[in-house]
Amino acid sequence: MNSLVDKYNIPGPRYTSYPTVPYWNEEGFTADLWKKSVIRSFSESNSEEGISIYIHLPFCEALCTFCACHKRITKQHSVEVPYLESVLKEWKLYLELFDHKPKLKELHLGGGTPTFFSPENLRTLLQGIFDTVEIAEDQEFSFEGHPNNTTREHLQTLFDLGFTRVSFGVQDYDPKVQKAINRVQPFENVENVTNWAREIGYKGVSHDLIFGLPHQTWEAMEFTIRKTMELKPDRLAFYSYAHVPWVKGVGQRGFDENDLPSGDEKRRLYEDGKKLLEDLGYIEIGMDHFSLEHDDLYQSQIQKKLHRNFMGYTSSKTQLMVGLGMSAISDSWYAFAQNVKTVEEYQKLVEEGQIPVFRGHILDAEDLNIRKHILNLMCQLETSWDLQNSFPEIENSIEKLKEMESDGLVEISENQIKITEKGRAFTRNVAMVFDLRMLRNKPETRIFSMTI
């Protein structure tokens, strides 16, 4: 396995979309084209599967130096109400595109730190959206909570509004690691919020762990996993730390790069961490995720309903996902669009009555075909094709996969490829073989994190 990691550990996308953001054709994108794609997608899908909404709540009181998200650091909570008013105004701009009331199936609050906002202000925001939609019977509402500032009132308020899933960012319990990433949170804080969520009635609690952080050792990682098992979350995200300081500037330089685990050390964190999680009863889902057998994520994988989008893995799919808030990304299936990246510009454009997108991509027929294959690989670990109706370079892609087949990572039949158990760690590499936009326009500089 070590030699395979050395061979395949290269920069590559995480494939929360295809095409990936660096390969969007921004010149061919306009706000009018985006609106047309939203209208088309809504008319095709709303009545049956409903829509998803992602709300980006960007404020944090302190900077976690491992974070590559778009955020605004402030302790001034006076920013809450004006920002949420802008989010509701943006949502009203989308409502103007729809010819009937949307059916809301999925809703996720991400950040930043959603629990930066008071429970009262979150209730006002959500009630403002719920008053304009029909809520699906099988709705799935979730949010991200910071263990240090999530209160029982936060959990109760959101539960009363229909939220049944919560994800807590743990990362690592080792004090030295926590100090290096400026994320100091005692185990007791995580224990409290996890227990409160279960007492209130949440059906799903997830914890996020990260391997590859500064000063992280296997002993620290094992300690973190075993402490996590004391709380037995229903789901776990086990992410590789994406070290991309060229993208986020000083935000990821709260430590010396020499403090990061070496390639061999990071490989052990991943391999031994994954084995320990499986020994403790967790089942690997897609890539980077684990769940207990009773969880919807596992059930959706078994039923081949697992989906992946900008929110990560979800247990069901909606064709239209509307992203609200500064820097949020939307997906109409036929197009992607991203909102402007500063709070001030976002609020200004919304106030002017403009949907605040500043870039995006309109998918052509080839993009839609490739997207299907990459989604299949990321979610089902397999895909199949019809050579008569596939993309032009399919035979070249199959040829490249033959080396992976000889390494035991994939199995290739006449019109199908399956990722083996051994190949799970290299799912991103397999998907890259189908990524025509990247293959035709190889980056001159490094723009992605490492695949392992």
Side-chain angles (χ1 to χ4, degrees):
M1 182 67 140
N2 285 4
S3 60
L4 290 177
V5 173
D6 291 338
K7 179 177 181 179
Y8 290 106
N9 189 23
I10 59 176
R14 291 182 181 268
Y15 292 112
T16 50
S17 75
Y18 180 83
T20 56
V21 177
Y23 294 103
W24 284 0
N25 178 13
E26 296 181 29
E27 293 180 0
F29 175 85
T30 66
D32 284 342
L33 288 174
W34 165 243
K35 291 177 186 177
K36 289 177 182 177
S37 78
V38 170
I39 293 168
R40 175 185 177 185
S41 187
F42 181 80
S43 66
E44 289 178 354
S45 64
N46 178 68
S47 60
E48 294 182 10
E49 65 182 27
I51 70 169
S52 298
I53 297 176
Y54 169 79
I55 304 178
H56 187 65
L57 301 172
F59 301 109
C60 301
E61 289 196 346
L63 175 67
C64 301
T65 56
F66 67 88
C67 179
C69 299
H70 295 290
K71 63 269 182 186
R72 173 66 62 87
I73 308 302
T74 181
K75 294 184 183 294
Q76 302 300 315
H77 286 262
S78 59
V79 300
E80 292 186 33
V81 171
Y83 183 81
L84 297 182
E85 287 176 346
S86 295
V87 170
L88 286 174
K89 288 176 182 177
E90 183 189 5
W91 174 237
K92 287 180 181 177
L93 294 174
Y94 275 100
L95 286 172
E96 292 172 4
L97 303 179
F98 306 147
D99 58 3
H100 57 277
K101 184 178 284 190
K103 180 165 70 175
L104 181 58
K105 183 174 182 180
E106 292 185 348
L107 172 64
H108 184 71
L109 307 182
T113 305
T115 47
F116 171 96
F117 292 78
S118 72
E120 179 184 359
N121 285 335
L122 290 174
R123 183 190 296 111
T124 300
L125 165 70
L126 293 164
Q127 200 59 60
I129 290 175
F130 294 162
D131 288 345
T132 66
V133 302
E134 170 195 349
I135 296 177
E137 292 183 7
D138 57 347
Q139 51 88 349
E140 186 91 356
F141 296 171
S142 58
F143 74 98
E144 298 166 14
H146 192 317
N148 286 355
N149 66 16
T150 299
T151 64
R152 188 171 186 125
E153 186 183 358
H154 277 115
L155 289 160
Q156 187 67 60
T157 296
L158 292 170
F159 181 79
D160 292 344
L161 288 165
F163 284 72
T164 57
R165 293 197 175 278
V166 58
S167 174
F168 295 115
V170 174
Q171 325 321 343
D172 191 290
Y173 285 120
D174 183 84
K176 188 175 183 180
V177 175
Q178 289 190 352
K179 184 177 179 181
I181 63 175
N182 198 33
R183 178 80 171 213
V184 177
Q185 56 190 19
F187 173 78
E188 291 72 22
N189 291 6
V190 183
E191 183 179 36
N192 284 338
V193 293
T194 299
N195 289 339
W196 289 341
R198 287 183 168 144
E199 289 167 9
I200 288 168
Y202 281 78
K203 72 175 183 180
V205 177
S206 178
H207 289 184
D208 292 350
L209 306 181
I210 297 180
F211 64 91
L213 292 169
H215 304 298
Q216 204 171 45
T217 63
W218 166 244
E219 289 71 27
M221 189 81 262
E222 183 180 18
F223 174 76
T224 292
I225 292 174
R226 293 195 181 279
K227 291 297 288 184
T228 299
M229 289 310 100
E230 293 180 22
L231 304 176
K232 205 76 172 177
D234 306 276
R235 296 180 186 177
L236 274 170
F238 189 49
Y239 293 116
S240 169
Y241 165 56
H243 190 59
V244 288
W246 59 87
V247 176
K248 296 298 173 188
V250 297
Q252 289 198 339
R253 291 195 183 276
F255 44 85
D256 190 292
E257 294 200 12
N258 293 323
D259 296 330
L260 296 172
S262 68
D264 287 343
E265 291 169 330
K266 187 176 182 182
R267 180 164 57 237
R268 184 187 179 195
L269 294 175
Y270 166 75
E271 292 171 1
D272 289 1
K274 174 183 170 181
K275 183 177 186 304
L276 179 56
L277 287 170
E278 291 173 339
D279 289 346
L280 292 167
Y282 284 85
I283 303 162
E284 189 170 15
I285 308 295
M287 183 185 73
D288 305 330
H289 287 68
F290 295 80
S291 81
L292 296 175
E293 194 168 320
H294 69 263
D295 190 83
D296 287 351
L297 208 59
Y298 171 71
Q299 297 301 324
S300 66
Q301 179 171 266
I302 294 297
Q303 297 165 13
K304 295 189 180 296
K305 294 180 179 179
L306 191 66
H307 183 56
R308 185 171 174 84
N309 57 25
F310 290 105
M311 295 187 286
Y313 282 108
T314 62
S315 55
S316 61
K317 167 188 169 289
T318 65
Q319 185 166 300
L320 177 60
M321 183 187 80
V322 177
L324 303 175
M326 177 269 278
S327 81
I329 297 179
S330 298
D331 177 1
S332 70
W333 193 255
Y334 302 109
F336 301 118
Q338 183 173 20
N339 284 352
V340 292
K341 294 184 180 181
T342 69
V343 173
E344 293 77 12
E345 188 178 7
Y346 169 73
Q347 293 178 319
K348 176 178 178 291
L349 290 173
V350 170
E351 201 62 41
E352 292 172 354
Q354 298 182 53
I355 291 180
V357 297
F358 83 104
R359 67 172 174 176
H361 178 86
I362 308 298
L363 283 78
D364 60 25
E366 182 182 271
D367 290 334
L368 290 167
N369 195 343
I370 300 294
R371 180 183 194 182
K372 177 187 68 175
H373 290 301
I374 287 181
L375 266 177
N376 287 343
L377 289 168
M378 300 301 291
C379 296
Q380 314 304 337
L381 303 176
E382 62 181 58
T383 194
S384 57
W385 53 83
D386 174 358
L387 287 176
Q388 296 295 320
N389 299 299
S390 197
F391 51 94
E393 287 94 334
I394 182 67
E395 292 183 353
N396 291 338
S397 296
I398 296 169
E399 194 63 34
K400 290 178 182 178
L401 288 168
K402 287 182 178 176
E403 186 172 359
M404 292 186 180
E405 184 179 39
S406 67
D407 287 331
L409 308 184
V410 299
E411 295 173 353
I412 304 172
S413 58
E414 184 177 356
N415 64 341
Q416 185 181 56
I417 171 180
K418 290 186 177 182
I419 298 174
T420 65
E421 188 62 33
K422 183 180 178 182
R424 271 182 173 269
F426 307 95
T427 299
R428 291 165 70 183
N429 300 80
V430 178
M432 286 167 67
V433 173
F434 290 83
D435 189 338
L436 296 191
R437 287 193 177 266
M438 184 176 68
L439 293 172
R440 292 168 183 162
N441 303 279
K442 291 187 177 179
E444 296 179 2
T445 58
R446 185 174 164 190
I447 57 176
F448 298 113
S449 61
M450 303 300 279
T451 55
I452 307 297

